[in-house]
């Protein structure tokens, strides 16, 4: 609860349950608090519960799966705002997290400009390629021209 109360505007909470499969860390009440604090999302290498209410709240919650049990007496928060390994990726406080339906990307602060530049170049190439494909260009020719997929 202390870790959730420490959330600030635009924070993304990153959680690992160290492989625990006997409960869920996150649910509707924690989502409600996170929304009120202006948090952007939670990423959990573990389970959540209350999935339908969380979806109705519109709070982006990325998780390994679902479990009906809450965490009381089953999980303890050891620390927060410290480096953590989540999904075999080391995450540091202040790293940028981009999460969407297909997956999650963690961008270390030191590399964010380079990553953004390359991501924008890729999106631009894909947009040009998409337009060519809509005009009838074959995928092989478009790939050779734009080197994007």
């Amino acid at each position: 609860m202390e870790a959730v109360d420490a959330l600030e505007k635009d924070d993304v909470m990153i959680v690992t349950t160290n492989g625990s499969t006997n409960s869920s860390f996150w649910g509707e009440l924690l989502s409600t608090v996170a929304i009120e604090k202006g948090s952007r999302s939670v990423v959990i290498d573990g389970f959540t519960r209350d999935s339908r209410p969380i979806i109705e709240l519109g709070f982006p919650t990325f998780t390994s799966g679902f479990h009906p049990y809450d965490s009381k007496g089953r999980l303890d928060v050891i620390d927060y705002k410290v480096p953590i390994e989540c999904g075999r990726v080391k995450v540091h406080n202040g790293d940028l997290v981009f999460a969407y339906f297909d997956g999650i990307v963690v961008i270390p602060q030191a590399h964010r400009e380079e990553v953004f530049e390359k991501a924008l170049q890729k999106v631009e190439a894909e947009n040009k390629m998409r337009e060519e494909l809509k005009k009838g260009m074959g995928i092989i020719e478009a790939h050779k021209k734009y080197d994007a997929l």
Side-chain angles (χ1 to χ4, degrees):
M1 289 183 267
E2 185 179 320
V4 175
D5 275 346
L7 284 171
E8 298 177 14
K9 185 174 179 357
D10 296 330
D11 277 354
V12 174
M13 180 174 270
I14 309 292
V15 177
T16 184
T17 59
N18 295 314
S20 174
T21 59
N22 68 343
S23 67
S24 59
F25 173 78
W26 196 264
E28 178 186 10
L29 297 177
L30 297 185
S31 295
T32 300
V33 172
I35 289 167
E36 292 308 310
K37 291 187 156 292
S39 175
R40 297 242 180 203
S41 178
V42 63
V43 175
I44 307 166
D45 190 1
F47 300 120
T48 189
R49 64 188 200 111
D50 304 333
S51 56
R52 182 164 286 163
I54 292 171
I55 291 167
E56 289 169 2
L57 286 169
F59 187 68
T61 302
F62 300 88
T63 178
S64 303
F66 308 97
H67 199 294
Y69 297 152
D70 64 18
S71 60
K72 187 174 182 179
R74 296 178 185 92
L75 288 174
D76 291 312
V77 174
I78 299 169
D79 211 344
Y80 58 96
K81 294 199 183 244
V82 297
I84 186 172
E85 188 169 307
C86 183
R88 298 183 311 269
V89 174
K90 189 74 160 192
V91 183
H92 295 86
N93 194 33
D95 286 350
L96 301 176
V97 178
F98 180 74
Y100 63 114
F101 187 81
D102 290 336
I104 302 160
V105 176
V106 176
I107 305 167
Q109 274 190 331
H111 300 286
R112 77 178 185 190
E113 296 302 324
E114 174 188 358
V115 170
F116 284 156
E117 183 178 319
K118 288 182 179 181
L120 289 173
Q121 289 170 359
K122 180 172 176 55
V123 168
E124 184 178 327
E126 287 178 352
N127 287 341
K128 288 179 182 177
M129 186 172 167
R130 184 180 303 103
E131 290 305 313
E132 295 279 9
L133 293 170
K134 287 180 181 179
K135 293 176 184 174
M137 182 182 280
I139 190 70
I140 293 171
E141 182 183 354
H143 184 291
K144 285 180 183 176
K145 184 173 180 180
Y146 296 104
D147 192 27
L149 271 185

